[in-house]
Amino acid sequence: MLQTQKELLTLLSDIGIEYTNHEHPAVFTVEEAALHQDGIKGAHSKNLFFKDKKKHLFLVVTLADKPIKIKDVAKKIGGNNMSFAKPDLLMEVLGMIPGAVTPFAAVNIKDHEVKIVLDEALMAHDLLNFHPLENTATTTIASDDLVKFLEHCGQSPEIIRL
């Protein structure tokens, strides 16, 4: 399991993904992250980890400022009575703490099936921003490179309009 941004950034370089990394104080919410986005080009994200009543897992990645209604998202992605996954499950499956969730955590998915859903509106942007496994930085990559990264991790993301 990758734990540090240094490990992730090395992996990105190894698979030919260009990135820009921006250090900042630890942030735990979209609102806190917004305070540190000046000068960072590209779309900013919110990353939501859900579990449904049948124990299916979902990582939903959308625009930071997009309002989300869990029931509506569940209908679109095939979830049944979804709720936010508990912190212990988040750590077990993605190796993340609340406030640091990122699609880069797909590198840590090994023994669980997680449906990764990318919002079409987010993917319409050329540049995207995510935490690099730690919430003390923001990493900018191209939207095409996010898909390349996820496929490198053995994940086939579903891109839909949320």
Side-chain angles (χ1 to χ4, degrees), residues 92-158:
E92 176 187 332
V93 177
L94 299 179
M96 298 284 95
I97 61 168
V101 180
T102 173
F104 291 136
V107 72
N108 291 332
I109 299 171
K110 301 293 182 231
D111 300 325
H112 296 84
E113 188 174 319
V114 178
K115 182 175 186 177
I116 299 177
V117 178
L118 306 176
D119 188 355
E120 215 174 69
L122 177 78
M123 296 304 290
H125 292 266
D126 292 333
L127 296 175
L128 305 176
N129 293 289
F130 308 106
H131 290 310
L133 302 181
E134 300 174 19
N135 62 353
T136 57
T138 298
T139 301
T140 307
I141 65 169
S143 56
D144 289 344
D145 283 339
L146 174 60
V147 174
K148 177 181 176 179
F149 173 80
L150 293 171
E151 289 174 348
H152 172 81
C153 296
Q155 302 297 321
S156 298
E158 185 175 326

Short mmCIF file of all heavy atoms in Angstrom, two decimals, residues 92-158:
data_model
loop_
_atom_site.label_atom_id
_atom_site.label_comp_id
_atom_site.label_asym_id
_atom_site.label_seq_id
_atom_site.Cartn_x
_atom_site.Cartn_y
_atom_site.Cartn_z
N GLU A 92 -8.91 0.67 5.45
CA GLU A 92 -8.70 -0.71 5.02
C GLU A 92 -8.63 -0.83 3.49
O GLU A 92 -7.76 -1.52 2.95
CB GLU A 92 -9.82 -1.61 5.55
CG GLU A 92 -9.76 -3.05 5.07
CD GLU A 92 -10.98 -3.85 5.48
OE1 GLU A 92 -11.62 -3.53 6.51
OE2 GLU A 92 -11.31 -4.80 4.75
N VAL A 93 -9.54 -0.16 2.80
CA VAL A 93 -9.67 -0.33 1.36
C VAL A 93 -8.76 0.61 0.58
O VAL A 93 -8.09 0.20 -0.37
CB VAL A 93 -11.14 -0.13 0.91
CG1 VAL A 93 -11.27 -0.23 -0.60
CG2 VAL A 93 -12.03 -1.16 1.59
N LEU A 94 -8.73 1.89 0.99
CA LEU A 94 -7.98 2.89 0.23
C LEU A 94 -6.70 3.36 0.90
O LEU A 94 -5.90 4.07 0.28
CB LEU A 94 -8.87 4.12 -0.04
CG LEU A 94 -10.14 3.89 -0.85
CD1 LEU A 94 -10.92 5.20 -1.01
CD2 LEU A 94 -9.84 3.27 -2.20
N GLY A 95 -6.52 3.01 2.17
CA GLY A 95 -5.35 3.49 2.89
C GLY A 95 -5.41 4.98 3.17
O GLY A 95 -4.38 5.63 3.30
N MET A 96 -6.61 5.52 3.31
CA MET A 96 -6.82 6.96 3.47
C MET A 96 -7.52 7.27 4.78
O MET A 96 -8.26 6.45 5.31
CB MET A 96 -7.73 7.50 2.35
CG MET A 96 -7.22 7.37 0.94
SD MET A 96 -5.94 8.59 0.56
CE MET A 96 -4.48 7.64 0.91
N ILE A 97 -7.29 8.51 5.24
CA ILE A 97 -8.05 9.04 6.36
C ILE A 97 -9.12 9.97 5.79
O ILE A 97 -8.97 10.48 4.67
CB ILE A 97 -7.15 9.81 7.35
CG1 ILE A 97 -6.48 11.01 6.66
CG2 ILE A 97 -6.13 8.88 7.99
CD1 ILE A 97 -5.82 11.98 7.60
N PRO A 98 -10.20 10.22 6.53
CA PRO A 98 -11.18 11.20 6.06
C PRO A 98 -10.48 12.54 5.82
O PRO A 98 -9.61 12.95 6.57
CB PRO A 98 -12.17 11.29 7.22
CG PRO A 98 -12.06 9.97 7.91
CD PRO A 98 -10.60 9.60 7.79
N GLY A 99 -10.86 13.20 4.75
CA GLY A 99 -10.25 14.47 4.40
C GLY A 99 -9.09 14.34 3.43
O GLY A 99 -8.59 15.34 2.92
N ALA A 100 -8.65 13.13 3.16
CA ALA A 100 -7.54 12.92 2.23
C ALA A 100 -7.95 12.05 1.05
O ALA A 100 -7.11 11.67 0.23
CB ALA A 100 -6.36 12.29 2.96
N VAL A 101 -9.23 11.72 0.94
CA VAL A 101 -9.70 10.81 -0.11
C VAL A 101 -9.36 11.38 -1.48
O VAL A 101 -9.50 12.58 -1.72
CB VAL A 101 -11.21 10.53 0.02
CG1 VAL A 101 -11.68 9.59 -1.07
CG2 VAL A 101 -11.51 9.94 1.39
N THR A 102 -8.92 10.50 -2.36
CA THR A 102 -8.42 10.90 -3.67
C THR A 102 -8.53 9.72 -4.62
O THR A 102 -8.43 8.57 -4.19
CB THR A 102 -6.93 11.32 -3.54
OG1 THR A 102 -6.38 11.56 -4.83
CG2 THR A 102 -6.09 10.28 -2.83
N PRO A 103 -8.71 9.99 -5.92
CA PRO A 103 -8.69 8.86 -6.85
C PRO A 103 -7.32 8.21 -6.94
O PRO A 103 -7.21 7.06 -7.37
CB PRO A 103 -9.13 9.48 -8.19
CG PRO A 103 -8.88 10.93 -8.04
CD PRO A 103 -9.02 11.25 -6.59
N PHE A 104 -6.28 8.91 -6.52
CA PHE A 104 -4.94 8.30 -6.50
C PHE A 104 -4.89 7.10 -5.55
O PHE A 104 -4.02 6.25 -5.66
CB PHE A 104 -3.87 9.32 -6.09
CG PHE A 104 -3.62 10.40 -7.11
CD1 PHE A 104 -3.49 11.72 -6.72
CD2 PHE A 104 -3.46 10.10 -8.46
CE1 PHE A 104 -3.23 12.72 -7.64
CE2 PHE A 104 -3.20 11.09 -9.40
CZ PHE A 104 -3.08 12.41 -8.98
N ALA A 105 -5.82 7.03 -4.61
CA ALA A 105 -5.88 5.89 -3.68
C ALA A 105 -6.24 4.60 -4.39
O ALA A 105 -6.11 3.52 -3.80
CB ALA A 105 -6.86 6.17 -2.55
N ALA A 106 -6.64 4.67 -5.65
CA ALA A 106 -6.93 3.45 -6.42
C ALA A 106 -5.72 2.53 -6.44
O ALA A 106 -5.86 1.32 -6.57
CB ALA A 106 -7.35 3.81 -7.84
N VAL A 107 -4.54 3.10 -6.30
CA VAL A 107 -3.32 2.29 -6.27
C VAL A 107 -3.32 1.32 -5.10
O VAL A 107 -2.65 0.28 -5.14
CB VAL A 107 -2.06 3.20 -6.25
CG1 VAL A 107 -1.89 3.90 -4.91
CG2 VAL A 107 -0.81 2.43 -6.63
N ASN A 108 -4.09 1.61 -4.07
CA ASN A 108 -4.12 0.77 -2.87
C ASN A 108 -5.23 -0.27 -2.86
O ASN A 108 -5.30 -1.08 -1.95
CB ASN A 108 -4.24 1.66 -1.62
CG ASN A 108 -2.98 2.46 -1.38
OD1 ASN A 108 -1.89 2.04 -1.76
ND2 ASN A 108 -3.14 3.62 -0.77
N ILE A 109 -6.11 -0.25 -3.85
CA ILE A 109 -7.23 -1.19 -3.88
C ILE A 109 -6.69 -2.56 -4.29
O ILE A 109 -6.18 -2.74 -5.39
CB ILE A 109 -8.33 -0.74 -4.86
CG1 ILE A 109 -8.90 0.61 -4.43
CG2 ILE A 109 -9.43 -1.80 -4.95
CD1 ILE A 109 -9.83 1.24 -5.45
N LYS A 110 -6.80 -3.51 -3.38
CA LYS A 110 -6.27 -4.86 -3.65
C LYS A 110 -7.32 -5.94 -3.45
O LYS A 110 -7.60 -6.70 -4.34
CB LYS A 110 -5.05 -5.15 -2.76
CG LYS A 110 -3.90 -4.19 -2.93
CD LYS A 110 -3.25 -4.28 -4.29
CE LYS A 110 -2.08 -3.34 -4.39
NZ LYS A 110 -2.07 -2.48 -5.52
N ASP A 111 -7.88 -6.01 -2.27
CA ASP A 111 -8.76 -7.13 -1.92
C ASP A 111 -10.24 -6.78 -1.91
O ASP A 111 -11.04 -7.53 -1.36
CB ASP A 111 -8.36 -7.67 -0.53
CG ASP A 111 -6.93 -8.16 -0.50
OD1 ASP A 111 -6.48 -8.70 -1.53
OD2 ASP A 111 -6.26 -7.99 0.53
N HIS A 112 -10.58 -5.65 -2.51
CA HIS A 112 -11.98 -5.22 -2.54
C HIS A 112 -12.33 -4.75 -3.95
O HIS A 112 -11.46 -4.31 -4.70
CB HIS A 112 -12.21 -4.05 -1.57
CG HIS A 112 -11.97 -4.40 -0.15
ND1 HIS A 112 -10.71 -4.40 0.43
CD2 HIS A 112 -12.82 -4.77 0.83
CE1 HIS A 112 -10.81 -4.75 1.68
NE2 HIS A 112 -12.08 -5.00 1.96
N GLU A 113 -13.59 -4.84 -4.28
CA GLU A 113 -14.06 -4.30 -5.54
C GLU A 113 -14.65 -2.92 -5.25
O GLU A 113 -15.54 -2.78 -4.41
CB GLU A 113 -15.12 -5.21 -6.15
CG GLU A 113 -15.50 -4.79 -7.55
CD GLU A 113 -16.43 -5.78 -8.21
OE1 GLU A 113 -16.22 -7.00 -8.04
OE2 GLU A 113 -17.37 -5.33 -8.88
N VAL A 114 -14.12 -1.91 -5.93
CA VAL A 114 -14.59 -0.54 -5.76
C VAL A 114 -14.96 -0.01 -7.14
O VAL A 114 -14.14 -0.03 -8.06
CB VAL A 114 -13.50 0.36 -5.13
CG1 VAL A 114 -14.01 1.79 -5.00
CG2 VAL A 114 -13.07 -0.19 -3.77
N LYS A 115 -16.18 0.48 -7.26
CA LYS A 115 -16.60 1.10 -8.51
C LYS A 115 -16.18 2.56 -8.45
O LYS A 115 -16.59 3.30 -7.56
CB LYS A 115 -18.13 0.99 -8.67
CG LYS A 115 -18.64 1.57 -9.97
CD LYS A 115 -20.14 1.30 -10.10
CE LYS A 115 -20.67 1.71 -11.45
NZ LYS A 115 -22.11 1.37 -11.58
N ILE A 116 -15.31 2.95 -9.39
CA ILE A 116 -14.84 4.33 -9.43
C ILE A 116 -15.66 5.08 -10.47
O ILE A 116 -15.71 4.70 -11.64
CB ILE A 116 -13.34 4.39 -9.75
CG1 ILE A 116 -12.56 3.67 -8.64
CG2 ILE A 116 -12.89 5.85 -9.89
CD1 ILE A 116 -11.07 3.59 -8.86
N VAL A 117 -16.31 6.15 -10.01
CA VAL A 117 -17.18 6.96 -10.86
C VAL A 117 -16.60 8.36 -10.96
O VAL A 117 -16.39 9.03 -9.95
CB VAL A 117 -18.61 7.01 -10.28
CG1 VAL A 117 -19.50 7.89 -11.14
CG2 VAL A 117 -19.18 5.61 -10.13
N LEU A 118 -16.34 8.78 -12.20
CA LEU A 118 -15.83 10.12 -12.47
C LEU A 118 -16.95 10.93 -13.10
O LEU A 118 -17.57 10.49 -14.07
CB LEU A 118 -14.64 10.05 -13.42
CG LEU A 118 -13.49 9.13 -13.01
CD1 LEU A 118 -12.43 9.08 -14.10
CD2 LEU A 118 -12.90 9.55 -11.68
N ASP A 119 -17.19 12.12 -12.57
CA ASP A 119 -18.22 12.99 -13.10
C ASP A 119 -17.78 13.57 -14.45
O ASP A 119 -16.67 14.09 -14.57
CB ASP A 119 -18.50 14.12 -12.11
CG ASP A 119 -19.69 14.98 -12.47
OD1 ASP A 119 -20.29 14.80 -13.55
OD2 ASP A 119 -20.04 15.85 -11.65
N GLU A 120 -18.67 13.47 -15.41
CA GLU A 120 -18.42 14.00 -16.76
C GLU A 120 -18.02 15.48 -16.70
O GLU A 120 -17.14 15.92 -17.44
CB GLU A 120 -19.73 13.86 -17.54
CG GLU A 120 -19.60 13.55 -18.98
CD GLU A 120 -20.99 13.31 -19.58
OE1 GLU A 120 -21.79 14.27 -19.69
OE2 GLU A 120 -21.28 12.15 -19.93
N ALA A 121 -18.67 16.25 -15.84
CA ALA A 121 -18.38 17.68 -15.72
C ALA A 121 -16.94 17.91 -15.26
O ALA A 121 -16.27 18.85 -15.72
CB ALA A 121 -19.36 18.35 -14.77
N LEU A 122 -16.45 17.09 -14.37
CA LEU A 122 -15.06 17.19 -13.92
C LEU A 122 -14.11 16.82 -15.06
O LEU A 122 -13.14 17.53 -15.33
CB LEU A 122 -14.82 16.26 -12.73
CG LEU A 122 -13.38 16.21 -12.21
CD1 LEU A 122 -13.08 17.43 -11.36
CD2 LEU A 122 -13.14 14.94 -11.43
N MET A 123 -14.41 15.74 -15.74
CA MET A 123 -13.53 15.22 -16.79
C MET A 123 -13.49 16.12 -18.03
O MET A 123 -12.63 15.95 -18.88
CB MET A 123 -13.92 13.79 -17.16
CG MET A 123 -13.76 12.81 -16.00
SD MET A 123 -12.09 12.78 -15.31
CE MET A 123 -11.20 12.00 -16.67
N ALA A 124 -14.40 17.08 -18.12
CA ALA A 124 -14.39 18.04 -19.23
C ALA A 124 -13.26 19.05 -19.11
O ALA A 124 -12.93 19.73 -20.07
CB ALA A 124 -15.74 18.76 -19.31
N HIS A 125 -12.65 19.12 -17.94
CA HIS A 125 -11.54 20.05 -17.72
C HIS A 125 -10.22 19.40 -18.15
O HIS A 125 -10.03 18.20 -17.99
CB HIS A 125 -11.46 20.43 -16.24
CG HIS A 125 -12.62 21.26 -15.78
ND1 HIS A 125 -12.60 22.63 -15.77
CD2 HIS A 125 -13.85 20.90 -15.34
CE1 HIS A 125 -13.75 23.09 -15.34
NE2 HIS A 125 -14.54 22.05 -15.08
N ASP A 126 -9.32 20.21 -18.66
CA ASP A 126 -8.02 19.70 -19.09
C ASP A 126 -7.15 19.30 -17.90
O ASP A 126 -6.43 18.30 -17.97
CB ASP A 126 -7.27 20.74 -19.93
CG ASP A 126 -7.93 21.00 -21.27
OD1 ASP A 126 -8.62 20.09 -21.78
OD2 ASP A 126 -7.77 22.11 -21.80
N LEU A 127 -7.19 20.11 -16.84
CA LEU A 127 -6.36 19.85 -15.67
C LEU A 127 -7.24 19.59 -14.45
O LEU A 127 -8.26 20.27 -14.25
CB LEU A 127 -5.45 21.04 -15.38
CG LEU A 127 -4.40 21.36 -16.44
CD1 LEU A 127 -3.64 22.63 -16.07
CD2 LEU A 127 -3.43 20.20 -16.62
N LEU A 128 -6.82 18.61 -13.64
CA LEU A 128 -7.57 18.21 -12.45
C LEU A 128 -6.64 18.23 -11.24
O LEU A 128 -5.44 17.98 -11.36
CB LEU A 128 -8.13 16.80 -12.63
CG LEU A 128 -8.99 16.57 -13.87
CD1 LEU A 128 -9.40 15.11 -13.96
CD2 LEU A 128 -10.21 17.47 -13.85
N ASN A 129 -7.22 18.47 -10.07
CA ASN A 129 -6.45 18.57 -8.83
C ASN A 129 -6.97 17.61 -7.77
O ASN A 129 -8.18 17.58 -7.51
CB ASN A 129 -6.53 20.01 -8.30
CG ASN A 129 -5.82 20.97 -9.21
OD1 ASN A 129 -4.61 20.97 -9.27
ND2 ASN A 129 -6.58 21.78 -9.94
N PHE A 130 -6.02 16.88 -7.17
CA PHE A 130 -6.35 15.91 -6.14
C PHE A 130 -5.26 15.89 -5.07
O PHE A 130 -4.12 16.23 -5.34
CB PHE A 130 -6.45 14.49 -6.73
CG PHE A 130 -7.35 14.39 -7.92
CD1 PHE A 130 -6.82 14.26 -9.18
CD2 PHE A 130 -8.72 14.44 -7.76
CE1 PHE A 130 -7.65 14.18 -10.29
CE2 PHE A 130 -9.57 14.36 -8.85
CZ PHE A 130 -9.03 14.23 -10.13
N HIS A 131 -5.62 15.40 -3.88
CA HIS A 131 -4.59 15.16 -2.86
C HIS A 131 -3.71 13.99 -3.31
O HIS A 131 -4.23 12.99 -3.81
CB HIS A 131 -5.22 14.78 -1.52
CG HIS A 131 -5.93 15.89 -0.83
ND1 HIS A 131 -5.38 17.13 -0.64
CD2 HIS A 131 -7.17 15.93 -0.27
CE1 HIS A 131 -6.24 17.89 0.01
NE2 HIS A 131 -7.34 17.19 0.23
N PRO A 132 -2.41 14.11 -3.11
CA PRO A 132 -1.50 13.01 -3.46
C PRO A 132 -1.32 12.01 -2.31
O PRO A 132 -0.21 11.84 -1.79
CB PRO A 132 -0.21 13.74 -3.79
CG PRO A 132 -0.23 14.92 -2.86
CD PRO A 132 -1.69 15.32 -2.74
N LEU A 133 -2.40 11.40 -1.87
CA LEU A 133 -2.46 10.44 -0.76
C LEU A 133 -2.34 11.10 0.61
O LEU A 133 -2.52 10.44 1.62
CB LEU A 133 -1.41 9.32 -0.89
CG LEU A 133 -1.45 8.49 -2.16
CD1 LEU A 133 -0.37 7.42 -2.13
CD2 LEU A 133 -2.82 7.84 -2.37
N GLU A 134 -2.03 12.36 0.64
CA GLU A 134 -1.93 13.13 1.88
C GLU A 134 -2.67 14.44 1.67
O GLU A 134 -2.63 14.99 0.57
CB GLU A 134 -0.47 13.40 2.24
CG GLU A 134 0.36 12.15 2.45
CD GLU A 134 1.84 12.45 2.66
OE1 GLU A 134 2.19 13.59 2.99
OE2 GLU A 134 2.63 11.52 2.48
N ASN A 135 -3.29 14.95 2.73
CA ASN A 135 -4.06 16.19 2.56
C ASN A 135 -3.23 17.44 2.84
O ASN A 135 -3.77 18.50 3.14
CB ASN A 135 -5.32 16.15 3.42
CG ASN A 135 -5.03 16.04 4.90
OD1 ASN A 135 -3.90 15.87 5.31
ND2 ASN A 135 -6.08 16.14 5.69
N THR A 136 -1.93 17.33 2.69
CA THR A 136 -1.03 18.47 2.87
C THR A 136 -0.47 18.96 1.53
O THR A 136 0.51 19.71 1.51
CB THR A 136 0.14 18.10 3.79
OG1 THR A 136 0.82 16.97 3.23
CG2 THR A 136 -0.35 17.78 5.19
N ALA A 137 -1.09 18.54 0.45
CA ALA A 137 -0.66 18.98 -0.87
C ALA A 137 -1.80 18.74 -1.86
O ALA A 137 -2.74 18.01 -1.58
CB ALA A 137 0.59 18.22 -1.33
N THR A 138 -1.67 19.41 -3.00
CA THR A 138 -2.58 19.22 -4.12
C THR A 138 -1.73 18.93 -5.34
O THR A 138 -0.75 19.63 -5.59
CB THR A 138 -3.44 20.49 -4.34
OG1 THR A 138 -4.23 20.71 -3.17
CG2 THR A 138 -4.34 20.36 -5.55
N THR A 139 -2.10 17.90 -6.09
CA THR A 139 -1.36 17.51 -7.28
C THR A 139 -2.23 17.71 -8.51
O THR A 139 -3.38 17.27 -8.53
CB THR A 139 -0.91 16.04 -7.18
OG1 THR A 139 -0.10 15.90 -6.01
CG2 THR A 139 -0.12 15.61 -8.40
N THR A 140 -1.68 18.41 -9.48
CA THR A 140 -2.38 18.71 -10.72
C THR A 140 -1.91 17.76 -11.81
O THR A 140 -0.69 17.62 -12.02
CB THR A 140 -2.09 20.16 -11.17
OG1 THR A 140 -2.38 21.06 -10.09
CG2 THR A 140 -2.91 20.54 -12.40
N ILE A 141 -2.87 17.12 -12.49
CA ILE A 141 -2.57 16.25 -13.63
C ILE A 141 -3.59 16.52 -14.73
O ILE A 141 -4.65 17.09 -14.48
CB ILE A 141 -2.55 14.75 -13.28
CG1 ILE A 141 -3.93 14.26 -12.84
CG2 ILE A 141 -1.51 14.44 -12.22
CD1 ILE A 141 -4.04 12.74 -12.73
N ALA A 142 -3.30 16.04 -15.93
CA ALA A 142 -4.25 16.13 -17.03
C ALA A 142 -5.38 15.13 -16.81
O ALA A 142 -5.17 14.05 -16.25
CB ALA A 142 -3.54 15.84 -18.35
N SER A 143 -6.57 15.47 -17.29
CA SER A 143 -7.72 14.57 -17.10
C SER A 143 -7.49 13.22 -17.79
O SER A 143 -7.83 12.18 -17.23
CB SER A 143 -9.01 15.21 -17.59
OG SER A 143 -8.90 15.63 -18.93
N ASP A 144 -6.87 13.23 -18.97
CA ASP A 144 -6.55 11.96 -19.64
C ASP A 144 -5.59 11.12 -18.81
O ASP A 144 -5.66 9.89 -18.82
CB ASP A 144 -5.94 12.21 -21.02
CG ASP A 144 -6.96 12.74 -22.02
OD1 ASP A 144 -8.18 12.66 -21.77
OD2 ASP A 144 -6.52 13.26 -23.07
N ASP A 145 -4.69 11.79 -18.09
CA ASP A 145 -3.73 11.07 -17.27
C ASP A 145 -4.38 10.45 -16.03
O ASP A 145 -3.88 9.45 -15.51
CB ASP A 145 -2.56 11.98 -16.86
CG ASP A 145 -1.58 12.18 -18.00
OD1 ASP A 145 -1.55 11.36 -18.94
OD2 ASP A 145 -0.82 13.17 -17.95
N LEU A 146 -5.49 11.02 -15.57
CA LEU A 146 -6.20 10.38 -14.46
C LEU A 146 -6.70 9.01 -14.90
O LEU A 146 -6.53 8.02 -14.20
CB LEU A 146 -7.37 11.24 -13.97
CG LEU A 146 -8.26 10.57 -12.92
CD1 LEU A 146 -7.47 10.20 -11.67
CD2 LEU A 146 -9.45 11.45 -12.58
N VAL A 147 -7.29 8.96 -16.08
CA VAL A 147 -7.77 7.68 -16.60
C VAL A 147 -6.60 6.72 -16.81
O VAL A 147 -6.68 5.54 -16.43
CB VAL A 147 -8.57 7.89 -17.92
CG1 VAL A 147 -8.94 6.55 -18.54
CG2 VAL A 147 -9.82 8.73 -17.64
N LYS A 148 -5.50 7.22 -17.35
CA LYS A 148 -4.30 6.40 -17.55
C LYS A 148 -3.82 5.83 -16.20
O LYS A 148 -3.49 4.64 -16.11
CB LYS A 148 -3.19 7.24 -18.18
CG LYS A 148 -1.87 6.53 -18.37
CD LYS A 148 -0.84 7.47 -18.99
CE LYS A 148 0.53 6.82 -19.11
NZ LYS A 148 1.51 7.73 -19.74
N PHE A 149 -3.80 6.66 -15.17
CA PHE A 149 -3.37 6.22 -13.85
C PHE A 149 -4.30 5.13 -13.32
O PHE A 149 -3.84 4.09 -12.83
CB PHE A 149 -3.33 7.40 -12.88
CG PHE A 149 -3.07 6.99 -11.46
CD1 PHE A 149 -1.78 6.72 -11.03
CD2 PHE A 149 -4.11 6.85 -10.55
CE1 PHE A 149 -1.54 6.30 -9.72
CE2 PHE A 149 -3.88 6.44 -9.26
CZ PHE A 149 -2.59 6.17 -8.84
N LEU A 150 -5.61 5.37 -13.40
CA LEU A 150 -6.57 4.40 -12.88
C LEU A 150 -6.45 3.07 -13.61
O LEU A 150 -6.48 2.00 -12.98
CB LEU A 150 -7.98 4.95 -12.97
CG LEU A 150 -8.28 6.15 -12.05
CD1 LEU A 150 -9.63 6.76 -12.38
CD2 LEU A 150 -8.18 5.75 -10.59
N GLU A 151 -6.28 3.11 -14.91
CA GLU A 151 -6.10 1.87 -15.68
C GLU A 151 -4.80 1.17 -15.30
O GLU A 151 -4.76 -0.05 -15.21
CB GLU A 151 -6.17 2.17 -17.17
CG GLU A 151 -7.59 2.52 -17.61
CD GLU A 151 -7.72 2.98 -19.05
OE1 GLU A 151 -6.68 3.25 -19.70
OE2 GLU A 151 -8.88 3.08 -19.53
N HIS A 152 -3.75 1.94 -15.04
CA HIS A 152 -2.49 1.36 -14.56
C HIS A 152 -2.71 0.60 -13.25
O HIS A 152 -2.07 -0.42 -13.00
CB HIS A 152 -1.43 2.45 -14.37
CG HIS A 152 -0.18 1.95 -13.71
ND1 HIS A 152 0.81 1.30 -14.40
CD2 HIS A 152 0.22 1.97 -12.41
CE1 HIS A 152 1.76 0.95 -13.55
NE2 HIS A 152 1.43 1.34 -12.35
N CYS A 153 -3.64 1.10 -12.43
CA CYS A 153 -3.95 0.48 -11.13
C CYS A 153 -4.95 -0.66 -11.28
O CYS A 153 -5.40 -1.22 -10.26
CB CYS A 153 -4.50 1.54 -10.17
SG CYS A 153 -3.33 2.83 -9.77
N GLY A 154 -5.33 -1.01 -12.50
CA GLY A 154 -6.27 -2.10 -12.72
C GLY A 154 -7.72 -1.72 -12.52
O GLY A 154 -8.58 -2.58 -12.34
N GLN A 155 -8.00 -0.42 -12.55
CA GLN A 155 -9.36 0.07 -12.34
C GLN A 155 -9.90 0.64 -13.65
O GLN A 155 -9.18 1.32 -14.38
CB GLN A 155 -9.37 1.18 -11.28
CG GLN A 155 -8.82 0.74 -9.94
CD GLN A 155 -9.62 -0.36 -9.30
OE1 GLN A 155 -10.85 -0.37 -9.36
NE2 GLN A 155 -8.94 -1.32 -8.70
N SER A 156 -11.15 0.35 -13.94
CA SER A 156 -11.82 0.89 -15.13
C SER A 156 -12.88 1.87 -14.66
O SER A 156 -13.98 1.46 -14.28
CB SER A 156 -12.47 -0.23 -15.93
OG SER A 156 -11.49 -1.13 -16.40
N PRO A 157 -12.55 3.16 -14.66
CA PRO A 157 -13.53 4.12 -14.16
C PRO A 157 -14.73 4.26 -15.08
O PRO A 157 -14.63 4.03 -16.28
CB PRO A 157 -12.74 5.43 -14.11
CG PRO A 157 -11.71 5.28 -15.18
CD PRO A 157 -11.34 3.80 -15.16
N GLU A 158 -15.84 4.61 -14.49
CA GLU A 158 -17.07 4.88 -15.25
C GLU A 158 -17.23 6.41 -15.25
O GLU A 158 -17.23 7.03 -14.19
CB GLU A 158 -18.25 4.20 -14.58
CG GLU A 158 -19.53 4.33 -15.35
CD GLU A 158 -20.67 3.54 -14.72
OE1 GLU A 158 -20.41 2.48 -14.14
OE2 GLU A 158 -21.81 4.04 -14.79
#
